[in-house]
Amino acid sequence: MSGLGVPLSTAVANKLSPTETPDFQVVRPKVPSSTSPKAVERNKYGQRVDRLDFKSIPRDDLNRLKKLKLCNYHFLLGECPNEENCYHDHDRKLSRQELHILSAIARMTPCRFGLDCDDVECIYGHRCPQSEPGKKTCFRGETCRFDPVAHGIDTNIVKVTKI
């Protein structure tokens, strides 16, 4: 909870230092009631397992979208909490495929809650997208943005927490 009694979104909390509190609340788009509940998928160790399919995304498309500097909050969550001062693009029209690619790009940024994150709307990465199950490192080695524990994660989903 912020000082105003407003719950902090994990997405907003990821951008704040522990001493900062926002004077706004992230508003997420309404999900039609006909859709199934959102869920956080976990492996047998209770670690969050986000489905990552970077191999299906053409590298040229990934790099092209990265260069556009699109606002993840705006396009993936429906609203940017800092739209007036945000230096990322909010004005483009994205195709479904481009939204999928942007979602993958967002997963390249580590979530500050890591493998324990329970936020079903979290857009950040919980395991290194370059790591393979069982391997405790990736090709980036010590320069990887993800913590060492975010490598080699078992990706077999055995538990689902519905929210």
Side-chain angles (χ1 to χ4, degrees), residues 41-93:
E41 298 173 319
R42 299 192 179 276
N43 63 20
K44 66 183 177 184
Y45 305 107
Q47 299 166 317
R48 183 172 177 145
V49 178
D50 295 320
R51 296 175 191 259
L52 303 173
D53 187 18
F54 285 94
K55 292 178 177 128
S56 70
I57 300 172
R59 172 108 10 235
D60 290 342
D61 290 346
L62 189 74
N63 289 332
R64 179 182 60 81
L65 243 57
K66 279 174 127 178
K67 289 177 185 175
L68 295 177
K69 299 292 184 188
L70 301 167
C71 178
N72 293 336
Y73 292 113
H74 176 79
F75 290 104
L76 300 176
L77 296 176
E79 185 175 336
C80 176
N82 196 26
E83 196 151 344
E84 292 176 13
N85 297 314
C86 183
Y87 57 91
H88 290 95
D89 186 351
H90 296 98
D91 298 326
R92 292 188 185 270
K93 298 287 186 201

Side-chain angles (χ1 to χ4, degrees), residues 9 12 24-30 73-74 77-81:
S9 160
V12 172
F24 55 83
Q25 179 181 10
V26 172
V27 178
R28 298 203 169 115
K30 298 276 186 216
Y73 292 113
H74 176 79
L77 296 176
E79 185 175 336
C80 176

Side-chain angles (χ1 to χ4, degrees), residues 1 5 12 17 19 28-29 45 48 57 60 102 122 139 148 158:
M1 294 285 215
V12 172
S17 74
T19 59
R28 298 203 169 115
Y45 305 107
R48 183 172 177 145
I57 300 172
D60 290 342
L102 185 61
C122 185
F139 75 92
V158 298

Side-chain angles (χ1 to χ4, degrees), residues 85-150:
N85 297 314
C86 183
Y87 57 91
H88 290 95
D89 186 351
H90 296 98
D91 298 326
R92 292 188 185 270
K93 298 287 186 201
L94 300 183
S95 69
R96 178 172 278 190
Q97 176 65 14
E98 288 172 324
L99 284 171
H100 172 72
I101 295 169
L102 185 61
S103 177
I105 292 168
R107 293 277 188 217
M108 293 176 182
T109 300
C111 171
R112 76 180 200 161
F113 297 107
L115 298 169
D116 296 325
C117 181
D118 286 323
D119 185 353
V120 295
E121 297 292 333
C122 185
I123 60 175
Y124 295 110
H126 302 93
R127 62 184 176 93
C128 175
Q130 306 301 325
S131 175
E132 296 177 28
K135 294 188 177 179
K136 294 297 180 188
T137 188
C138 68
F139 75 92
R140 296 187 193 280
E142 291 182 12
T143 63
C144 184
R145 296 169 69 189
F146 285 82
D147 289 335
V149 297

